[in-house]
Amino acid sequence: MAAVNTGPGGGAVVRVLVADDEAMIRAGVCAILSADPGIEVVAEAADGREAVEAARAHRPDVALLDIRMPRMDGLAACEEIRRTAPGTAVAILTTFSEDAYISRALGGGATGFLLKSGDPYELMTGVRAVADGGAYLSPKVARHVIAELGGERLTRGAAARARIAALTAREREVLALLGEGLPNAAIGRRLHLVEGTVKGYVSAVLDRLEVGNRVQAAIIAYEAGLVASTPTGA
């Protein structure tokens, strides 16, 4: 078995694949991530097909994908990576002009959405959250998407509250923490539960809400009012 690299605090180093067809943006993202001693960029790709091949070859913890790339776009690459390298979590690099792609990316298995022009610390935080099994939606992206809902927001809120009505009190607590973007271990510490029990609750919540991943559940938590303000992790 290959040795696991560890960061300065003794934790495992997060191994990341960065894919973007613009060389300068890719270089900038790599430089930001490499400044964190707990993150290692193990591969780069200039298009979606290269990203899929790199994910299969390197098995990174996180694949950070641009949406608009040649040969295969980031959304198709996301779906293929989740299918062929299920141990790799996918985060999408996005801009405010790409809101329409978020629902498809969610369906494809992405659990993170990070703004290209965002705070470098936010980029590191998002990559770590996704690697830990959490969900991360850049706060600025979250606010923008919710604002774009316009008059639909109240309707969506009512619909979300109806959807969570069947959850038990404990399941609602778990959903609220999913809304904060917390991974299972952190939820367990907050609720004083073992991680295996948390996994069971998370699976039950996703099943009851009929959603495919944690980001979709986090959005419902926000819309239902379980999260007091735009969460840093969802």
Side-chain angles (χ1 to χ4, degrees), residues 169-193:
R170 179 63 88 185
E171 287 168 347
R172 289 191 190 197
E173 289 179 323
V174 170
L175 177 59
L177 295 177
L178 285 176
E180 294 182 22
L182 299 184
N184 290 347
I187 293 174
R189 288 193 295 271
R190 188 79 67 87
L191 299 180
H192 307 290
L193 299 172

Side-chain angles (χ1 to χ4, degrees), residues 3-15:
V4 176
N5 292 335
T6 57
V13 170
V14 178
R15 303 171 69 255

Side-chain angles (χ1 to χ4, degrees), residues 62-87:
V62 177
L64 191 55
L65 309 177
D66 182 28
I67 291 178
R68 297 172 181 169
M69 294 188 290
R71 292 212 292 168
M72 176 185 286
D73 66 25
L75 301 178
C78 170
E79 294 171 0
E80 188 67 10
I81 288 172
R82 293 299 299 148
R83 185 180 69 82
T84 61

